Amino acid sequence: MIYRLLALNIDGTLLRSNGRLQSSTKEAIEFVQKKDVYVTLVTNRHFQSAKKLAKALKIDNILITHSGAFVANRLDQPLFVKRIPEERTFNIVQVLENFPCNIRIVHERFSIGNRKKISSNLMSKMLLNTADPLFYPIQFVESLGDTLRDDPVATPKIDAFFEDQNELQHVQKVIQDAFPEVEVIQVNQEKLEIVSKGVSKASSLQLLGKHLGINLQEMVVIGNSLDDLEMIAQAGLGVAMGNSPIEVKRSADWITRSNDDQGVSYMVKEHFRKQHRIKFLERMKHD
């Protein structure tokens, strides 16, 4: 099988647990791009944060960001964007404000969050995937509902962070029942993401494949979190990181090492080593 596209999750996959990028990972991405393989990032981060990392990896391709709700190479020219309308964003926030959670409106140009007291560990996780504050302003307000009433926002994604997993699961059910027009995705034990119905990393990867003329069987997907499971299962070669939950590993064709043990570079070099450059293979086909 010739693989034409490599899709990589960011947190827990490309980056180590400390949020750093290993030089071996950079080399592996360079290695695979030299073989004419299209490399994209598929992430729940906002576009500007993903773009910054893509630049460090010398990837100048369309990226799947905001959990699939914003697909673009340039901020002002998205290939696909699906927003939660202003009124629905406001109504969801009003419901969330009844619960002990930190809420963030994750727009592609800015973020607004409430000032709910949460543990410093959770706060550092929330701020981990912010880009340069100069280009991506982050504002914290006392009441998100009041702010949105004065200044409505249609957003690609809403994040909610919890310290109690039971509370998270209860809120997930409450929001899903009250707003059937959205998807409420549990990313891990602390975080829910809310996007428009039909939006997911997997559906946006299919959309990108159609745009590029690459089918799912020609894709390698590497991920580690619960919201990567669907795209790992549908890819030609689905790879779970060694640090993935068991459900993600079960859906994969291959399990690589962990993100702290060079899992991406090990997998990429192991699998793409034997694959010739795509342009060379296509020339051979026509000769």
Side-chain angles (χ1 to χ4, degrees), residues 4-63:
R4 297 170 183 274
L5 183 146
L6 172 64
L8 298 148
N9 177 40
I10 294 181
D11 299 290
T13 299
L14 261 182
L15 301 181
R16 295 169 67 179
S17 301
N18 62 6
R20 297 266 172 85
L21 191 58
Q22 287 172 305
S23 56
S24 62
T25 307
K26 282 186 185 176
E27 286 158 21
I29 301 304
E30 205 174 319
F31 169 78
V32 84
Q33 289 199 111
K34 278 182 180 161
K35 296 203 172 219
D36 309 318
V37 173
Y38 193 97
V39 179
T40 186
L41 307 180
V42 186
T43 179
N44 44 33
R45 288 182 174 222
H46 61 80
F47 175 77
Q48 298 203 53
S49 173
K51 189 69 179 168
K52 191 177 176 185
L53 183 64
K55 210 172 170 185
L57 289 164
K58 298 184 177 141
I59 298 169
D60 187 20
N61 289 333
I62 296 167
L63 309 176

Side-chain angles (χ1 to χ4, degrees), residues 55 61 175 211 267:
K55 210 172 170 185
N61 289 333
I175 299 287
H211 175 73
M267 185 275 149

Side-chain angles (χ1 to χ4, degrees), residues 11 39 142 257 259:
D11 299 290
V39 179
E142 289 308 324
R257 297 169 180 170
N259 62 325

Side-chain angles (χ1 to χ4, degrees), residues 102 104 118 122-130 140 161:
N102 198 288
R104 286 187 72 185
I118 56 169
L122 205 51
M123 180 58 89
S124 65
K125 279 187 187 176
M126 278 175 52
L127 295 173
L128 181 70
N129 58 6
T130 55
F140 289 97
F161 296 83

